Amino acid sequence: MSASNEASNYEYVTTRAKSRRAALFDADDYRKLVRMGPGEIARFMEESEYEAEMNALGARYSGVDLIEYALNRNLAKHFNDLLRFAEGKLYDYIARYLRKFDAWNIKTVIRGVYADSERQEIEDDLIRAGELPPRTIDRLLEADSIEGIVERLDGTIYEDPLVAAYEDYEAAGVLVPLENAVDRAYYQLLLADVPAEPDRATRLYVEFLQAEIDFRNMRNALRLSRSGADIDPAEYYIPGGRLFSPTEIQGLVNNPDQLVERIRTSTYGDDLDRALDDLDAAGSLIEFELALERALLEYSGQLSNRYPLSVCPVLAYILAKEREVDNIRAIARGKEAGLTAEEIEEELVVQ
Amino acid sequence: MLEQFVMFVTSFAPLLQEGAASSPAIPPQAAAALAVGLAAFGAGYSQRGIGAAAVGAVAEDDSLFGRGLILTVLPETLVILALVTLFVAG
C-alpha cells in the first residue's frame, strides 16, 4: 500500500474523507448531547456511527469509560481506513501526521509497564491509528520490562532515539527522557524529506505541519511561563517550526508579556487575535487553547474547499474527527462531573 | 503519460508529411478515425479520476450509485461528439 513511487489516488481518498467528514456530528447533535445524561449519550452513540464499537466494548465497560474507549476505537478504525486507502505520496503525507498515535501508543505502553498495569488495561488505552502494524503493537504489549519495549521497537524510527534515552532512564529512573525521545522522533520525521518544489497544496500542508510545531512550542512556552516551574525550556523545544528559535524561547518564557506580544506580531497573530485578547483578559490558558483548535479547524476547512485534489481534504477530516472525539469525551466527562449544559458548551469546539 | 503521448505524436507528424506531395499524408477518413481515438483517450483519462471518486462515494453511501454512474459516463459525450467528424469526413 505504501510504495512512494506509486501514483497517488487523491480522487478516491478525498471523496471518502469528505463523505465521512460530512457525516460527523453537527452543531444540532451537540446541542442534543449536552442535554443528555451519560446513559442517554451512550444510547445515542449506539444508534449512530459508533454502534459497532459500543457493542464490542459494552460487555466489559459501562458509563463514561465505555464511551471513551468506543470513541478511541472508532477513531482508530477511521484513520486506519485512510492509510489503507491511500497510495504513493498521499500515504506518506497522511502517515506523517498519524504517526503521532504511534508516539502516543509507545508512551502509553512505556507508562503502563512502568506502573505495572494489567495488559488489558494498557491495551484499552491504545489508539491503534498509527503506522505501526498491529503485530508490532501486540508484541509491545507482551513486553514485561521497559528494556523489552525498547528491544521490540528494533528497526522502527523510534529505535535509535529510544536506545540513547534508555541509558538516561536507567541512570535517573524517570520516564521523561524516554517520552521526550519518542516525541522527538515523531516531530523530526514530520518534516523530513519534504519535496523540494512542492505544489501549492503540498506547501500549505507543510506549512500546516510547521504551524503544528509552532503551536506546540507556543503551548509549552505559555504553560511553562504560567506554571513558573524551573525547567529549561530548551529541553522541550521542538525544532522545525518557524516561530521560535531555541535561544529565543528561553528568554521569552521568563517574560510572559513579551511572549504574548511575540505571538501577536507573528504570522499567526491575525487568527489568534481574539484568543490572545481572552488570554490577556481572563488569563485562561484553556480558552486560548480552545481558540487555537477553532482557528485550526476553520483554516483546514477552507483549505479543503480550495484544493480538492490534494491532501488538504483528508487533513480537514482528520482534524474534524479528532475534535468530534474530544467533544463527545468532554460532554460525557463533563456530565459525569456534574457540569451544567452551558459550562460544557463552552468547552466544545464546533465548526 | 500524457507527455509521452504528445512526444509520440509530434515525432510522427513530420514523417507523415514527407509522404507523397500530391495526396495529403493523412487521408480525411484516417484523420477522422484519429480524432475519434484521441477523443476516446481524453474521455478515458477524465473517467479515471471521476470513476475513482465515484467508487469512493458509493463505498461510503450506496444511494449515490446512480449519481456516480451518471457523472462517470458524462465524458463519454466527448466520444459521441467526435463521431460527428466521421460523418463530415466520410
Side-chain angles (χ1 to χ4, degrees):
Chain A
M1 58 183 170
S2 72
S4 64
N5 49 5
E6 240 176 297
S8 306
N9 50 351
Y10 287 111
E11 294 92 350
Y12 180 70
V13 182
T14 52
T15 321
R16 296 206 76 158
K18 279 184 173 181
S19 166
R20 288 185 182 192
R21 180 155 162 252
L24 293 177
F25 288 171
D26 58 15
D28 267 350
D29 289 324
Y30 286 128
R31 255 195 296 283
K32 268 185 251 162
L33 278 169
V34 289
R35 279 165 184 77
M36 294 175 183
E40 282 170 290
I41 297 177
R43 175 115 188 87
F44 184 82
M45 284 172 61
E46 267 172 39
E47 287 164 4
S48 70
E49 162 65 36
Y50 298 94
E51 186 189 354
E53 286 78 16
M54 293 293 278
N55 289 339
L57 292 164
R60 254 187 290 145
Y61 299 97
S62 64
V64 182
D65 284 341
L66 171 62
I67 295 176
E68 174 142 10
Y69 291 132
L71 286 171
N72 284 348
R73 264 212 195 177
N74 187 269
L75 181 87
K77 182 180 86 183
H78 282 291
F79 289 178
N80 267 326
D81 278 351
L82 289 181
L83 285 177
R84 198 157 50 82
F85 299 152
E87 286 166 4
K89 276 259 175 294
L90 182 60
Y91 175 88
D92 178 53
Y93 291 146
I94 299 176
R96 264 167 212 262
Y97 186 75
L98 291 185
R99 277 195 200 113
K100 82 172 181 190
F101 292 104
D102 284 334
W104 159 269
N105 286 342
I106 294 174
K107 284 192 284 186
T108 306
V109 176
I110 290 178
R111 274 180 217 158
V113 169
Y114 187 75
D116 280 333
S117 303
E118 292 290 319
R119 182 194 149 123
Q120 190 64 47
E121 275 175 16
I122 307 174
E123 192 171 351
D124 287 331
D125 276 328
L126 299 182
I127 305 178
R128 295 175 178 235
E131 201 192 16
L132 287 180
R135 202 150 19 103
T136 313
I137 293 181
D138 285 337
R139 288 186 53 222
L140 282 183
L141 283 167
E142 282 156 18
D144 43 16
S145 69
I146 291 179
E147 195 177 4
I149 296 174
V150 177
E151 270 171 22
R152 282 173 168 80
L153 283 169
D154 216 24
T156 66
I157 53 169
Y158 306 96
E159 180 193 359
D160 293 337
L162 271 180
V163 168
Y166 185 72
E167 289 165 18
D168 287 346
Y169 161 75
E170 277 206 316
V174 289
L175 288 180
V176 178
L178 288 174
E179 297 189 345
N180 254 344
V182 175
D183 274 341
R184 266 168 199 240
Y186 161 65
Y187 280 109
Q188 250 159 28
L189 265 162
L190 196 56
L191 288 177
D193 314 321
V194 174
E197 285 176 9
D199 55 38
R200 176 116 179 92
T202 311
R203 201 167 66 233
L204 286 168
Y205 180 61
V206 171
E207 271 174 27
F208 168 80
L209 294 180
Q210 283 171 335
E212 174 89 7
I213 293 178
D214 279 336
F215 286 167
R216 172 80 35 202
N217 277 332
M218 217 186 276
R219 251 174 259 176
N220 283 346
L222 281 168
R223 276 186 195 156
L224 280 179
S225 79
R226 288 278 147 161
S227 65
D230 187 24
I231 303 172
D232 182 12
E235 287 218 359
Y236 292 94
Y237 175 77
I238 302 152
R242 293 179 297 170
L243 196 53
F244 304 111
S245 72
T247 43
E248 202 179 7
I249 211 167
Q250 223 154 357
L252 287 174
V253 164
N254 299 324
N255 193 342
D257 292 338
Q258 227 177 325
L259 178 66
V260 172
E261 200 47 47
R262 178 82 175 72
I263 299 173
R264 203 186 283 275
T265 52
S266 72
T267 44
Y268 307 114
D270 287 345
D271 302 323
L272 300 178
D273 232 8
R274 241 191 39 223
L276 286 168
D277 286 340
D278 284 350
L279 182 68
D280 272 350
S284 155
L285 257 185
I286 298 175
E287 300 248 318
F288 176 74
E289 292 185 1
L290 285 177
L292 268 186
E293 303 286 2
R294 239 172 245 134
L296 263 181
L297 198 60
E298 203 173 301
Y299 180 57
S300 70
Q302 280 173 9
L303 284 188
S304 159
N305 289 339
R306 218 170 286 163
Y307 302 99
L309 286 186
S310 71
V311 68
C312 293
V314 184
L315 177 76
Y317 168 66
I318 292 175
L319 289 182
K321 181 77 189 172
E322 280 183 302
R323 287 297 83 73
E324 176 180 282
V325 166
D326 284 352
N327 282 342
I328 299 177
R329 184 184 299 137
I331 294 172
R333 291 279 174 213
K335 283 286 163 187
E336 192 187 30
L339 297 180
T340 64
E342 286 74 29
E343 282 172 309
I344 296 174
E345 259 169 10
E346 279 173 25
E347 299 292 320
L348 302 183
V349 182
V350 184
Q351 202 171 21
Chain B
M1 173 164 173
L2 261 182
E3 289 85 1
Q4 282 171 351
F5 183 76
V6 170
M7 269 175 59
F8 173 77
V9 170
T10 46
S11 63
F12 250 83
L15 277 181
L16 290 170
Q17 275 168 10
E18 281 167 16
S22 55
S23 65
I26 308 176
Q29 278 195 324
L34 261 182
V36 174
L38 284 174
F41 180 80
Y45 187 73
S46 59
Q47 280 177 344
R48 165 193 169 271
I50 303 170
V55 169
V58 172
E60 290 294 324
D61 182 355
D62 280 342
S63 68
L64 290 174
F65 177 76
R67 221 176 298 176
L69 188 70
I70 290 174
L71 289 174
T72 311
V73 299
L74 265 191
E76 216 62 63
T77 52
L78 281 179
V79 188
I80 296 171
L81 287 177
L83 282 177
V84 172
T85 56
L86 275 188
F87 300 113
V88 173

